[in-house]
């Protein structure tokens, strides 16, 4: 299943750099400074971060759901 990610890019009052904000699949809100003054560049950075975070979350979930066989008991 693919999940769409929406990244919001904004600039705080009296700040030089754009911020990127997105939600993880767990619902956690992530906000970071992109260290970029260009909005297009900041948006690209935000989507790269979101993509990396989603991959990490998915790998943690798949590891959590692995079947472990220790010959005496079966843990799922």
């Amino acid at each position: 299943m693919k999940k769409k990610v929406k990244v919001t890019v904004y600039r705080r009052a009296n700040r030089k750099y754009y911020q990127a904000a997105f939600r993880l699949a767990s619902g956690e809100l992530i906000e970071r400074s992109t260290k970029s003054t260009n909005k297009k560049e900041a948006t690209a950075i935000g989507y790269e971060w979101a993509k990396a975070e989603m991959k990490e979350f998915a790998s943690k979930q798949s590891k959590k759901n692995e079947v472990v066989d220790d010959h005496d008991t079966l843990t799922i």
Side-chain angles (χ1 to χ4, degrees):
M1 180 173 104
K2 297 244 179 193
K3 180 166 174 70
K4 287 188 177 185
V5 178
K6 180 182 176 194
V7 175
T8 305
V9 177
Y10 59 94
R11 192 167 21 197
R12 294 182 191 259
N14 301 320
R15 298 289 184 234
K16 181 178 179 179
Y17 299 124
Y18 281 96
Q19 299 280 116
F22 57 93
R23 288 203 181 270
L24 297 178
S26 64
E28 181 183 356
L29 179 65
I30 304 292
E31 293 179 289
R32 293 185 191 158
S33 172
T34 61
K35 303 282 194 260
S36 175
T37 57
N38 181 312
K39 191 169 185 174
K40 265 187 154 177
E41 186 177 295
T43 302
I45 291 168
Y47 275 102
E48 286 299 315
W49 286 342
K51 185 174 154 184
E53 291 284 346
M54 289 298 192
K55 279 185 180 180
E56 183 178 331
F57 181 79
S59 71
K60 284 181 183 177
Q61 289 300 314
S62 66
K63 286 179 184 175
K64 190 168 144 182
N65 295 330
E66 285 180 355
V67 175
V68 178
D69 186 9
D70 64 359
H71 303 292
D72 293 330
T73 61
L74 183 64
T75 306
I76 297 178

